Amino acid sequence: MTAFRIEVDRGRCTGIGICESLRDDRFEVGDDGTLILHDDSVTETEKSEFENIVLSCPASALKLIAVD
Amino acid sequence: MTLFSNFHPLITDIDISSLAFWSKTFQERDDSFKRLRDEAPVSWHAPIEDLDLTQEDHGQAGFWAVVRAEDISYVSQHHEIFSSAKGHTMLHPGRPEMSVAAAFLDQDPPEHTAYRKVMSSYFTPKAIARLSEKIDARAAEIVDRVVGAGDIEFVAEVASRLPMLTVADLLGVPEEHMEMFRDNGDKLLALQDPDAGETEEERMAVVGEAFGFFAMLGTEMAEAREKNPSDDIMTALVQAEVNGKRLDISDITMIMLLLSTAGNDTTKQTTTWSVMNLVKDPAQKAWLLEDYDARINGAVEEMVRWASPVIQFARTATQDIEFGGQRILEGDKVGIFYSSGNRDDRLFDDPWKFDLARPRNPHLGFGGGGVHYCLGNGVAKAQLRALMKNILTKLPDIELGEPTYLVNDFINGVKTLPVTIR
C-alpha cells in the first residue's frame, strides 16, 4: 500500500549516488550522471528506511511526500 | 574590496591559530574545538601562523571558525552566501599575488556546475563498480608485497600507494609515469611541510618541481588523447566544452592537480588511522571480518568520520550576515572545521569512539553537503573496502610502533607508522 512517494529535485540532484549505494534496486545514477528512479512508491513499513535515504543525500535533493 | 581585511574583536582566548596549537595531537586539538563547540560556536581568530609569512606579507586579518556540525552544513550548503570563488577555499593565508584557483574547487555555480559535470560520470556508483576490478587488483598487489615483511614503514609501503595509482587510472596516466605521478602528488603539499625544506624558497622549489611535472604530463597526455581518445578523464577533459569553448591546457593541468591532491592524502590518512584503530581493537576487527561484505559499507563511513582527513576548508562571505550570534561581514574568511563537526556530540554519541557498527549518521568527512560534496567519495570508499579486506585477511599480525604525525592545519595525518608484520 503506497503511503509515500519519493520526489527528486532535479535542480539539486547532481548524481552523487549515495541513494544508489543504499538501495541500488530503486536508485540508479545513469552513465550520463542523471538519476533514474525505479519505482517511487514507499510503503508505511519502508518509511523509516527511506527517510534515512532522504537524509543521506548530500545535495538535499530527495523528499518523501505523503500520498492521500 | 580587499578580501579578508576586516578586523574583529576576539571573543575567546582559545587558540587555534598558532603553530604550537597545530603541533598538538588530534585529540589534544579537539579539546580546544570542544570548548569552542560548547562556548563559542562561531568565533573570530588570528590568521593561521605560517612558517615564513608575517601578517604584513599575506595581509589577512583573520578568520571565523565554524565548529558545530549543523552550522558547518549550513555554510556548506549556502554557497550564495559563503562563496568558494570569491576568495578561494584555503584557510591558511598565502601571499595574495600567489592565490590561484584550484579548478572547480574554487568555483561557485554556475561555473562549478559546468566544470564538475565534465567528469562527474566517472565518479558515479556504476563507474566506480567498473573501476573496482582494477582497484581490487592493485590493493592485493600492494598488500601481497608486505606479507611477512617484518619491520616496515606502513605509510610509505602500504597506505600511500593505492590512492595515487587510482587517480592515475582514472585520469589514464600511462604505466611508465605511475611512480613519478605518485611521488609528485606528495610534493604538492610541501609548502607547509617543514620537513620538505628549511626555507620558503626551498619548499617552493619542491612544489614548483611538482607543478612542472604535472604541466608536462598534462600536455603530453592531452596531445595523446586528442589523437587517440580513450575511456578516461583526460579524454573527457580534452573533449569537453564549457560555454561552447574547449578547456585550455592550464584548466586541464589545474584539474589534474586538484584530483592529485584531493585523491591522494585523504584516503591515505584514513587507511593509516583505521589500521591503527583496528589493531588496537581486535574485537571490532573480528566483528568486521565475521560478515565483511554486509558490514564493510557502514564501517568505511565510520572510518572516514573518525579519521576526518580533511580538517577544514574556507569560504568567503558575499554579504554581511548574523551567524551563530556573531556578525560576519562581506569579504570575511569563514573556516568550516569538518574534523570538529565529526566530534560534535550533538550529532554523534560518544564521538571519539571508533565504532564500526555506528548507525549510518551522515558525517562531515566528505564535506558538509551541497554542491561541493566530495566528488571522489565513492572512489575513496571502494579503495578502503579493497585495502581493508586485503590487510585484515593477509596481515593478521601487525604490531604498531610509535607514529609521527603531520603538523598541518589542513590534513589530519599520520606522517610515519613503523610496524612489524609477522
Side-chain angles (χ1 to χ4, degrees):
Chain A
M1 180 81 255
T2 301
F4 304 92
R5 244 189 342 102
I6 303 163
E7 202 176 81
V8 183
D9 182 337
R10 295 291 172 177
R12 287 174 168 268
C13 174
T14 54
I16 294 169
I18 302 290
C19 53
E20 182 176 344
S21 75
L22 294 168
R23 279 296 293 263
D24 63 5
D25 58 324
R26 300 293 212 97
F27 302 92
E28 184 190 338
V29 179
D31 288 335
D32 65 346
T34 312
L35 177 66
I36 305 160
L37 193 53
H38 300 291
D39 185 2
D40 64 354
S41 66
V42 172
T43 63
E44 190 62 55
T45 41
E46 293 175 312
K47 181 184 179 210
S48 145
E49 185 192 353
F50 279 84
E51 271 175 344
N52 186 40
I53 296 176
V54 165
L55 259 174
S56 299
C57 173
S60 306
L62 297 176
K63 257 211 272 267
L64 268 189
I65 312 283
V67 167
D68 296 320
Chain B
M1 67 167 314
T2 318
L3 297 177
F4 321 136
S5 58
N6 300 314
F7 281 90
H8 296 275
L10 296 176
I11 55 156
T12 169
D13 60 358
I14 298 167
D15 162 39
I16 59 169
S17 308
S18 69
L19 265 167
F21 172 76
W22 289 103
S23 302
K24 295 183 174 184
T25 66
F26 184 13
Q27 198 137 14
E28 285 167 347
R29 298 192 309 260
D30 193 59
D31 288 340
S32 296
F33 280 108
K34 172 150 174 64
R35 282 190 57 205
L36 287 173
R37 288 193 295 272
D38 293 340
E39 299 165 29
V42 176
S43 56
W44 180 252
H45 295 267
I48 303 278
E49 189 181 344
D50 187 78
L51 290 170
D52 309 283
L53 306 180
T54 62
Q55 191 148 33
E56 218 185 292
D57 292 327
H58 60 65
Q60 296 187 21
F63 67 93
W64 295 100
V66 176
V67 298
R68 286 188 188 170
E70 191 181 348
D71 295 336
I72 293 164
S73 295
Y74 185 91
V75 172
S76 300
Q77 293 174 31
H78 287 85
H79 52 260
E80 68 289 357
I81 305 174
F82 300 102
S83 165
S84 296
K86 191 175 170 81
H88 304 157
T89 54
M90 199 167 77
L91 185 72
H92 197 104
R95 295 182 187 279
E97 63 273 17
M98 283 187 48
S99 185
V100 163
F104 55 94
L105 182 76
D106 290 341
Q107 287 178 321
D108 298 325
E111 292 81 19
H112 169 267
T113 323
Y115 277 94
R116 182 162 161 149
K117 211 177 160 97
V118 168
M119 70 213 77
S120 57
S121 59
Y122 285 90
F123 295 90
T124 62
K126 290 217 296 273
I128 291 161
R130 288 193 289 270
L131 195 59
S132 286
E133 216 182 289
K134 197 88 199 252
I135 291 177
D136 291 348
R138 290 204 184 275
E141 216 180 288
I142 288 163
V143 175
D144 286 343
R145 208 178 142 262
V146 299
V147 171
D151 295 336
I152 62 163
E153 200 286 281
F154 185 81
V155 176
E157 300 304 329
V158 182
S160 68
R161 305 219 152 210
L162 186 59
M164 275 310 266
L165 292 176
T166 307
V167 172
D169 285 333
L170 279 164
L171 281 167
V173 173
E175 197 72 40
E176 67 262 25
H177 289 311
M178 286 286 186
E179 259 321 293
M180 281 215 72
F181 187 79
R182 207 175 59 81
D183 290 340
N184 280 285
D186 289 334
K187 287 186 192 167
L188 288 170
L189 291 173
L191 195 57
Q192 269 115 51
D193 180 359
D195 291 340
E198 301 252 315
T199 62
E200 187 189 359
E201 284 73 30
E202 271 179 47
R203 289 191 294 274
M204 283 206 49
V206 172
V207 178
E209 239 178 75
F211 259 83
F213 171 78
F214 281 100
M216 180 278 303
L217 184 64
T219 309
E220 192 185 290
M221 285 177 67
E223 282 169 16
R225 293 293 176 278
E226 284 267 17
K227 299 200 195 90
N228 294 310
S230 182
D231 185 17
D232 53 37
I233 291 180
M234 189 50 85
T235 305
L237 289 173
V238 302
Q239 291 180 345
E241 280 191 14
V242 173
N243 298 325
K245 262 177 62 209
R246 298 281 212 96
L247 301 183
D248 62 46
I249 192 64
S250 65
D251 281 335
I252 293 177
T253 307
M254 284 315 291
I255 290 173
M256 266 184 76
L257 283 164
L258 176 58
L259 296 180
S260 303
T261 31
N264 186 14
D265 235 314
T266 47
T267 310
K268 163 176 141 189
Q269 300 306 343
T270 306
T271 304
T272 311
W273 285 114
S274 301
V275 166
M276 283 168 67
N277 284 335
L278 283 166
V279 168
K280 290 180 194 170
D281 194 344
Q284 286 233 43
K285 180 179 150 184
W287 176 85
L288 181 56
L289 285 172
E290 210 170 65
D291 194 355
Y292 190 82
D293 290 338
R295 294 176 178 172
I296 189 61
N297 286 336
V300 298
E301 299 288 354
E302 174 66 351
M303 289 179 192
V304 175
R305 181 200 73 88
W306 198 99
S308 290
V310 177
I311 295 172
Q312 47 73 12
F313 266 121
R315 297 286 189 269
T316 308
T318 62
Q319 61 188 68
D320 296 351
I321 176 174
E322 290 289 323
F323 193 68
Q326 300 300 308
R327 184 150 184 77
I328 298 176
L329 298 179
E330 184 187 341
D332 282 354
K333 181 179 281 193
V334 179
I336 43 182
F337 288 85
Y338 311 114
S339 57
S340 170
N342 278 336
R343 291 292 182 278
D344 190 344
D345 52 23
R346 291 159 193 79
L347 194 56
F348 302 104
D349 288 332
D350 203 356
W352 269 95
K353 181 159 190 260
F354 183 68
D355 179 5
L356 299 180
R358 205 181 266 280
R360 281 171 80 168
N361 234 332
H363 58 79
L364 299 159
F366 293 118
V371 301
H372 286 281
Y373 190 79
C374 178
L375 181 63
N377 77 89
V379 179
K381 291 186 280 197
Q383 291 182 89
L384 288 167
R385 288 193 295 267
L387 267 174
M388 288 304 156
K389 186 167 206 169
N390 278 276
I391 291 170
L392 297 178
T393 54
K394 296 175 181 173
L395 311 177
D397 189 350
I398 301 175
E399 192 188 312
L400 301 176
E402 211 41 56
T404 64
Y405 297 107
L406 212 55
V407 174
N408 197 289
D409 57 81
F410 178 51
I411 300 287
N412 181 31
V414 181
K415 194 149 197 186
T416 61
L417 177 65
V419 299
T420 307
I421 298 179
R422 299 199 174 86

